[in-house]
Amino acid sequence: MIDFSETKTGDKLRITGMGAPGFAQLGDTVTVKSCNGKNRCDVVHDETGEEAYFALTCGAQRLERT
């Protein structure tokens, strides 16, 4: 689980936990595009270039640092 307050633009994160159906498979890597430091992190999928965001505690639980 990531800590939004420690997540910065350019960080590499891996999809874990419940995954991200329709966006990424478990183990896929994403790059942080922006993060508000509190409860939202916008990312881009490293392979597909697709963008998504992860929010609140449930989003943080689906990501880990690589």
Side-chain angles (χ1 to χ4, degrees), residues 36-51:
N36 71 2
K38 296 188 296 186
N39 61 4
R40 180 181 170 125
C41 187
D42 293 89
V43 301
V44 61
H45 193 285
D46 284 357
E47 291 181 25
T48 67
E50 189 174 345
E51 297 181 11

Side-chain angles (χ1 to χ4, degrees), residues 1-2 4 38-41 53-61:
M1 180 166 126
I2 63 165
F4 287 112
K38 296 188 296 186
N39 61 4
R40 180 181 170 125
C41 187
Y53 72 91
F54 290 81
L56 307 172
T57 305
C58 61
Q61 292 175 353

Side-chain angles (χ1 to χ4, degrees), residues 1-9 11 32 34-41 56 60 65:
M1 180 166 126
I2 63 165
D3 181 342
F4 287 112
S5 67
E6 296 176 2
T7 303
K8 307 291 183 224
T9 300
D11 285 354
V32 176
S34 66
C35 189
N36 71 2
K38 296 188 296 186
N39 61 4
R40 180 181 170 125
C41 187
L56 307 172
R65 294 193 179 285

